[in-house]
Amino acid sequence: MSRHAERTDRLRRVLREHSLELLFVCHPANVTYLTGFRGDSSHLLVGHDHLWFITDSRFAEQAQAEAPGCEVVEHQNSLIKQTAATAASTGLRRLAFEEAHLTCASHRELGAELPSMALEPTKDLVENLRAVKDREEQNLIRKTAAAADAAFADVVADIRPGRTELDVASRLEYAMQQHGCRKPSFDTIVAAGPRASLPHAESTHAEIQPGDPVLVDWGGVRDLYCSDATRVVHPTEPDDLWREVYTIVLAAQERAIQAIRDGVPIRDVDAAARSHIADAGYGGHFGHGLGHGVGLQVHEAPRLHAKSDGILSEGMVVTIEPGIYLPGQGGVRIEDLVLVCQDGPEILTTAPKNIETACLSE
Ligand code: ZN
Ligand code: ZN
């Protein structure tokens, strides 16, 4: 059985558990996960023993090649109308859909086309399957992370006063492509000095100033799978505050990573980092969650935060990225990609993060 057929099989078991007969999948990453199709603008209908792949002439040939287990249905003018017509042709009375992804307009149109079919919202059915990566996915993510790390090693010496944030970002993105990535998994963040206090700063034309620590958050996409990592480097002599904050964030991050293993509650992993930062007196300066899953998308299930009631399972790939942000002064975030294994973590990010390597001048 192909890996895509295995995934569809697992989804069908979930559908049976929820007493669902037909699921309409519209989210592109979910379509790709279930079929292997790499294009977009396509819908999937998953029945208990049949898969319909609805697309247009641009993608029909690609779908035949990439998604061999599906019956490819080519629509002429409306993807949603054809999806409705194909769903109606099954004679089933209920159609489940992905509530997080179907637009209001498409939902309304579907309802109008299917007056005798009940539309049933579902949440995260495919996303929850995607959260646990099989061996092949783990290897693909490992390779993306290695390519992104190699790119970072190539450009780290270029992070210095006089360069702009965007200079560094574009060099890093180019280097990722040189190492086999197709594109960045998100807009690379290079934030110098006080701008690093914005957790999701945009890179600008501002020059790195002497004394600025520089936060770099970057990731690539290689063979469909993403990576994500953050480092803070200090091109010139850091001051005592920065050393203190860096040391606290690094210790918090390492505590969280060491708490990772199969079966551990997510909130315990979050607490391992968050309590360390709070005990050091910076509890009010770490406002975001601890991390997130990474796979076909750079942000996916599971979400790691203090109120999660989820459990980490073997095969999940997550980021661990605590930070301390001091408005007007700067910020430190350290982020690694980690594979959850039976007995502990496998850290997929190899870029150095100890304080000596963060201080380039030393
Ligand atoms: Zn990141
Ligand atoms: Zn992240």
Side-chain angles (χ1 to χ4, degrees):
M1 191 185 281
S2 80
R3 64 199 164 102
H4 297 105
E6 265 172 43
R7 293 171 188 174
T8 315
D9 233 43
R10 278 194 287 141
L11 176 61
R12 285 179 171 134
R13 279 201 289 277
V14 174
L15 295 183
R16 286 197 184 89
E17 283 164 20
H18 289 78
S19 304
L20 299 170
E21 292 176 301
L22 188 63
L23 175 66
F24 165 26
V25 179
C26 64
H27 186 53
N30 289 346
V31 172
T32 298
Y33 178 76
L34 292 169
T35 65
F37 177 70
R38 292 173 177 239
D40 52 33
S41 307
S42 302
H43 288 166
L44 191 65
L45 284 170
V46 184
H48 282 186
D49 44 31
H50 205 83
L51 269 181
W52 294 266
F53 190 96
I54 300 130
T55 190
D56 60 56
S57 58
R58 294 171 299 164
F59 291 118
E61 184 185 347
Q62 186 180 347
Q64 303 278 8
E66 291 178 350
C70 304
E71 177 182 337
V72 177
V73 180
E74 198 177 314
H75 76 82
Q76 299 308 319
N77 51 21
S78 166
L79 180 58
I80 195 76
K81 280 196 169 76
Q82 183 60 59
T83 302
T86 304
S89 74
T90 64
L92 297 168
R93 306 301 301 269
R94 294 151 62 221
L95 176 62
F97 67 94
E98 302 180 292
E99 67 171 16
H101 307 303
L102 192 68
T103 64
C104 283
S106 292
H107 182 268
R108 197 183 316 119
E109 201 172 348
L110 204 58
E113 295 286 321
L114 295 170
S116 57
M117 235 175 160
L119 300 184
E120 295 187 21
T122 64
K123 194 171 181 338
D124 294 341
L125 298 185
V126 185
E127 283 81 347
N128 289 340
L129 298 179
R130 280 170 49 198
V132 176
K133 275 69 183 174
D134 61 33
R135 294 248 173 245
E136 181 163 349
E137 292 179 293
Q138 293 170 19
N139 278 331
L140 290 173
I141 297 170
R142 219 179 252 119
K143 285 180 181 165
T144 310
D149 282 338
F152 186 74
D154 284 356
V155 305
V156 73
D158 284 325
I159 303 174
R160 55 173 191 256
R163 294 250 189 259
T164 71
E165 293 172 346
L166 278 167
D167 270 345
V168 175
S170 55
R171 280 162 194 259
L172 184 50
E173 291 180 1
Y174 180 70
M176 281 197 284
Q177 289 190 336
Q178 299 294 101
H179 285 284
C181 295
R182 196 166 61 79
K183 59 179 184 180
S185 53
F186 56 93
D187 284 346
T188 303
I189 297 171
V190 177
R195 299 194 62 262
S197 72
L198 309 169
H200 269 193
E202 267 188 345
S203 307
T204 70
H205 289 288
E207 280 184 10
I208 298 168
Q209 301 299 318
D212 279 352
V214 182
L215 184 149
V216 183
D217 189 347
W218 81 107
V221 185
R222 184 192 168 284
D223 246 339
L224 293 177
Y225 282 82
C226 299
S227 72
D228 188 8
T230 305
R231 289 291 183 267
V232 179
V233 297
H234 209 295
T236 50
E237 192 58 33
D239 64 23
D240 290 345
L241 174 66
W242 185 85
R243 280 181 177 274
E244 176 185 303
V245 168
Y246 191 92
T247 305
I248 294 164
V249 173
L250 182 57
Q253 200 236 11
E254 286 177 338
R255 278 166 187 248
I257 291 174
Q258 290 317 314
I260 287 177
R261 61 181 188 284
D262 181 61
V264 75
I266 286 172
R267 70 162 81 93
D268 290 0
V269 179
D270 184 279
R274 205 169 296 278
S275 64
H276 183 74
I277 288 174
D279 291 348
Y282 288 94
H285 297 277
F286 173 27
H288 58 72
L290 181 67
H292 51 87
V294 174
L296 288 170
Q297 292 178 283
V298 71
H299 294 118
E300 60 179 50
R303 307 278 163 178
L304 278 61
H305 55 85
K307 297 203 168 101
S308 168
D309 53 12
I311 303 277
L312 288 183
S313 305
E314 185 176 7
M316 286 179 171
V317 174
V318 298
T319 67
I320 298 295
E321 49 179 307
I324 292 177
Y325 308 93
L326 304 175
Q329 291 178 277
V332 171
R333 177 171 65 255
I334 304 172
E335 176 181 25
D336 282 332
L337 202 52
V338 180
L339 169 64
V340 181
C341 303
Q342 183 71 47
D343 303 317
E346 178 190 334
I347 304 173
L348 304 182
T349 313
T350 55
K353 60 181 176 181
N354 58 48
I355 192 152
E356 287 73 28
T357 51
C359 304
L360 295 179
S361 64
E362 292 181 352

